[in-house]
Amino acid sequence: MKKTLNDIDVNGKRVLLRVDFNVPLSADLKIVDDNRIIEALPTIEHLVLHNAKVIICSHLGRPEGINVPKMSLRPVVARLAKLLQKEIGFIEDIKDKSCKEILDKMNSGDIVMLENIRFYKEEEENDKNFAKLLASFADIFVFDAFATAHRKHASSYGVAELLPNAIGFLVEKELEMFNKVLTDPEHPFVAVLGGAKISDKLPVIENLLDKVDTILIGGGMAYTFVKAIGGEVGKSLVDNKSIDLAKQTLDKAKECGVKIVLPYDNYGADEFTASAKRKCFNSGFFAKDFQGMDIGPHTVKAFKHIIKDAKTIVWNGPMGVYEFPKFKKGTYKIAKCIAKSKAISIIGGGDTVASVQELGLEDKITHISTGGGASLMLLQGKQLPCIEVIEEK
Ligand code: AMP
């Protein structure tokens, strides 16, 4: 078990808190969705309440090591100050001598935020000296940026190697939820996988074979499976490098007694556009000039039937090209069905979460993961570097 906020004494201490405030901004730099800030509030409030001097560090966007003014964290500081009803200091350049002056003046309960840490190229290089500079600001490091837990960067992994540390409440909750379903799930346990990249999802299937009862496969990844068993997929997305492994995975699932359900039918399009001609095909019988864009009505019905009886559901990846209104039905229907279920439900992945948000179903899902890549890695059975480096209790 990793050390959590409740295991450390922060009274009067300088705490460097790594969060993920990578919020979407509009062209005029207004925060479009402040969910990531809201999610970090319990940790920040705990630190303030326990008299820590809180130094918040985050990235925003991909400035790739240079100062890009439109990726400044200033709008985030303003929003956080408003949410907490508290003044928050801002450090524009951690390499400037004014940084130390500001930090030295901090009192217990104060909060200061550092400018976008990815303005420094050393961050993503996990530069040792850069990590040392960050570590020099604080007595304790708290990691609460689950969405970056799979990346070894200086402000997450590097600094954790140098300071006494713990995870924050957000990361604690993420780990608890994934640990519960991956080690002690209630059955029937159904995994719903979709999206485009089958290479990401094959290791997930491999890891889930001794845990789940059924795996429902939709999205673009399904066509590589269909091709692997000899079906005609027309112009559908196929990852030729994954065909053999897809076939082996189907065989292995059979050996393990896990039911993998591929789509029975699919909506196809004559071109990859929102206004394309739509036509339904039985799985494996696509017209040569059509490509699969969504699961069809029989598949939706069959998937719903299985989801209805599940006690645990994990969902990652949309059932089709849900960005095009003509092809979002499958994803939306599965989202509604999971939301209706009484099962423990965990969803992860940017597109999957976005589809649930578009439908306003967030409250009906047990856990919506804040980390796409990080949650995928947990489902693949891999360790997250930024969690591994945190001290044990
Ligand atoms: P992933 O990151 O692998 O979860 O993929 C998410 C993306 O998969 C979304 O942008 C979807 O539009 C895309 N996607 C889902 N189904 C299909 C499909 N049948 N063909 C092409 N792309 C798809």
Side-chain angles (χ1 to χ4, degrees):
M1 291 282 273
K2 295 293 174 182
K3 267 194 187 159
T4 73
L5 272 185
N6 288 321
D7 301 313
I8 53 170
D9 175 13
V10 296
N11 192 5
K13 306 259 173 64
R14 298 172 304 162
V15 176
L16 180 66
L17 171 65
R18 178 61 159 103
V19 293
D20 179 355
F21 283 167
N22 185 19
V23 292
L25 295 175
S26 63
D28 58 348
L29 304 183
K30 299 253 158 42
I31 296 172
V32 177
D33 176 357
D34 63 1
N35 201 38
R36 290 185 173 206
I37 306 175
I38 308 262
E39 297 267 9
L41 290 180
T43 293
I44 299 171
E45 281 165 346
H46 173 97
L47 291 171
V48 170
L49 194 72
H50 290 81
N51 299 317
K53 299 171 186 171
V54 190
I55 304 152
I56 301 179
C57 172
S58 176
H59 70 282
L60 195 155
R62 295 171 189 264
E64 302 193 343
I66 48 170
N67 186 323
V68 180
K70 68 173 194 290
M71 292 183 196
S72 168
L73 279 166
R74 276 190 187 282
V76 175
V77 178
R79 178 64 60 94
L80 183 63
K82 202 167 167 196
L83 286 167
L84 291 171
Q85 296 284 306
K86 189 174 169 59
E87 218 173 282
I88 295 176
F90 187 60
I91 292 179
E92 256 174 75
D93 183 1
I94 58 168
K95 292 183 180 171
D96 191 86
K97 66 173 178 8
S98 61
C99 170
K100 192 171 177 311
E101 286 163 17
I102 297 172
L103 294 178
D104 284 348
K105 278 194 204 133
M106 283 180 83
N107 293 312
S108 295
D110 282 355
I111 305 177
V112 157
M113 184 129 100
L114 311 182
E115 180 55 290
N116 190 344
I117 203 68
R118 287 195 190 160
F119 282 179
Y120 306 91
K121 67 173 179 21
E122 299 97 316
E123 160 68 354
E124 292 187 64
E125 292 166 354
N126 189 20
D127 181 273
K128 289 267 175 295
N129 288 325
F130 190 68
K132 264 187 207 158
L133 174 68
L134 286 167
S136 74
F137 299 161
D139 308 302
I140 296 173
F141 175 65
V142 172
F143 180 71
D144 216 16
F146 181 72
T148 66
H150 55 313
R151 302 188 197 283
K152 277 188 174 182
H153 291 170
S155 71
S156 50
Y157 186 89
V159 78
E161 288 190 304
L162 302 171
L163 287 175
N165 56 48
I167 52 172
F169 291 137
L170 183 150
V171 166
E172 189 182 2
K173 185 169 142 219
E174 292 272 7
L175 297 180
E176 253 173 37
M177 290 309 303
F178 279 98
N179 195 34
K180 159 86 185 125
V181 297
L182 294 174
T183 60
D184 181 27
E186 276 190 60
H187 292 272
F189 181 179
V190 177
V192 184
L193 300 176
K197 287 185 255 53
I198 189 173
S199 54
D200 279 353
K201 307 284 168 29
L202 283 172
V204 173
I205 299 176
E206 169 87 32
N207 182 48
L208 292 181
L209 283 183
D210 61 350
K211 302 172 178 66
V212 298
D213 301 283
T214 308
I215 301 177
L216 308 177
I217 294 182
M221 64 178 282
Y223 306 105
T224 302
F225 281 104
V226 174
K227 180 134 194 202
I229 54 173
E232 173 58 59
V233 296
K235 289 194 300 180
S236 303
L237 190 73
V238 169
D239 177 359
N240 286 313
K241 282 198 255 76
S242 296
I243 292 179
D244 287 346
L245 192 55
K247 178 78 181 66
Q248 288 164 26
T249 305
L250 291 175
D251 293 342
K252 207 162 166 193
K254 216 178 251 171
E255 277 168 34
C256 296
V258 171
K259 208 169 156 201
I260 292 191
V261 188
L262 297 174
Y264 298 102
D265 55 354
N266 291 95
Y267 282 114
D270 58 347
E271 54 182 26
F272 193 81
T273 62
S275 58
K277 197 160 108 192
R278 193 182 78 155
K279 207 171 159 189
C280 196
F281 297 94
N282 282 335
S283 187
F285 292 91
F286 258 84
K288 288 244 179 339
D289 52 348
F290 271 73
Q291 66 187 101
M293 299 286 273
D294 195 7
I295 52 174
H298 291 298
T299 310
V300 169
K301 205 168 161 194
F303 282 12
K304 277 168 89 169
H305 191 70
I306 293 166
I307 291 168
K308 186 169 65 59
D309 293 332
K311 291 258 167 54
T312 306
I313 303 165
V314 166
W315 180 24
N316 190 303
M319 296 291 98
V321 185
Y322 78 103
E323 295 94 333
F324 296 159
K326 259 189 190 173
F327 302 104
K328 68 179 176 196
K329 235 185 190 167
T331 300
Y332 274 22
K333 287 200 166 166
I334 296 306
K336 284 181 188 163
C337 179
I338 293 175
K340 212 168 152 190
S341 149
K342 298 260 179 296
I344 293 181
S345 52
I346 298 196
I347 68 164
D351 297 293
T352 317
V353 174
S355 60
V356 166
Q357 285 170 339
E358 279 165 27
L359 291 165
L361 296 173
E362 299 96 312
D363 293 350
K364 307 263 187 291
I365 304 292
T366 314
H367 181 66
I368 297 182
S369 178
T370 56
S375 67
L376 203 60
M377 237 171 125
L378 289 181
L379 293 177
Q380 290 168 345
K382 295 182 186 145
Q383 300 291 325
L384 297 169
C386 295
I387 307 298
E388 267 192 302
V389 72
I390 299 291
E391 291 162 30
E392 298 289 332
K393 275 192 194 189

